Amino acid sequence: MLRALVFMVGVAAAAAGPLPARAADGSGLFIQNCLMCHQSGAVGLPGQFPRLAGRITAISSQPKGRAYLIDVLTYGMAGKITVDDQSIVGLMPPFAQLSNDDVAGVLSYIQSLDVSPGGTPPGGTPPAGAPRAAAPPVFTAREVQAGRSATTVKSATDVRAERQSLEDAKIIQ
C-alpha cells in the first residue's frame, strides 16, 4: 500500500512538471546591499541619499525607465541629482556582481514599496473618481539579462546622462 502511494505521488509530481524557479529575496538583498544608504523602507536620507520608495513605479512604468533602473544597479551612477527638491552630489557604487535574478528581486522589492495592497500611493488616497494606475510588472531575470546585454559597458557618468534624458522626458521628476 505504501509503495503504491509513493508511486502515485511520484507520478503526480512528474506530471505537474518542474517547480518554478524561486525568485530572489529582494527584501533581504536590499537589506544586505542598499539599506546602509537608502535606509529602511527605502526612504533615503534627505540631501545625502535619495528616497527610492514612492518613486520607482513611475520610473519603471516606461521601458526606458526600466532600462535605466537596471543600469543604475549594474553600473552605478555619479554626479548631481535632485530628489524631493534637494540636490544630492554623490556616487552610487555598481552592483554588477549581483545576478540577474538578484537585480530583478531588488528592483521588484523597491517597486513594491510604492503602492499599498489597495493600489493607493503610500500615505494617501487618489482623488475621488481618479483612475488607479496599474502597477508596472515586476522585474524578471530575463529582462535584466536582456538589459545588461543590450549595451556596451557604461560608466557611472554615462548612467547620469541617461538619467538626464529621462528627466528631460519627464519620466523622472
Side-chain angles (χ1 to χ4, degrees):
M1 177 75 170
L2 183 57
R3 280 188 194 175
L5 180 60
V6 170
F7 176 75
M8 290 176 59
V9 168
V11 168
L19 293 174
R22 183 181 164 282
D25 174 16
S27 172
L29 288 162
F30 179 87
I31 290 168
Q32 184 178 16
N33 296 286
C34 314
L35 181 74
M36 181 183 282
C37 296
H38 294 287
Q39 304 295 296
S40 181
V43 297
L45 283 173
Q48 296 179 33
F49 302 105
R51 172 178 63 87
L52 304 175
R55 301 179 60 239
I56 299 301
T57 294
I59 298 168
S60 65
S61 67
Q62 301 291 321
K64 287 182 180 181
R66 295 176 77 83
Y68 160 76
L69 293 169
I70 292 167
D71 287 348
V72 169
L73 272 173
T74 301
Y75 305 113
M77 188 171 65
K80 179 181 172 185
I81 63 171
T82 301
V83 175
D84 298 331
D85 297 322
Q86 294 197 0
S87 292
I88 300 171
V89 178
L91 171 71
M92 175 165 159
F95 287 91
Q97 76 279 8
L98 293 178
S99 70
N100 295 332
D101 194 47
D102 289 349
V103 170
V106 168
L107 289 173
S108 294
Y109 167 71
I110 298 168
Q111 190 179 52
S112 77
L113 299 174
D114 283 9
V115 179
S116 70
T120 59
T125 55
R132 290 188 181 184
V138 297
F139 286 83
T140 66
R142 180 174 285 165
E143 176 182 16
V144 173
Q145 179 181 17
R148 285 175 156 180
S149 64
T151 185
T152 57
V153 174
K154 294 181 179 181
S155 71
T157 52
D158 291 337
V159 176
R160 176 59 188 100
E162 184 179 0
R163 178 187 174 93
Q164 185 62 54
S165 71
L166 295 175
E167 290 173 350
D168 293 345
K170 306 290 186 218
I171 293 171
I172 295 179
Q173 299 192 27

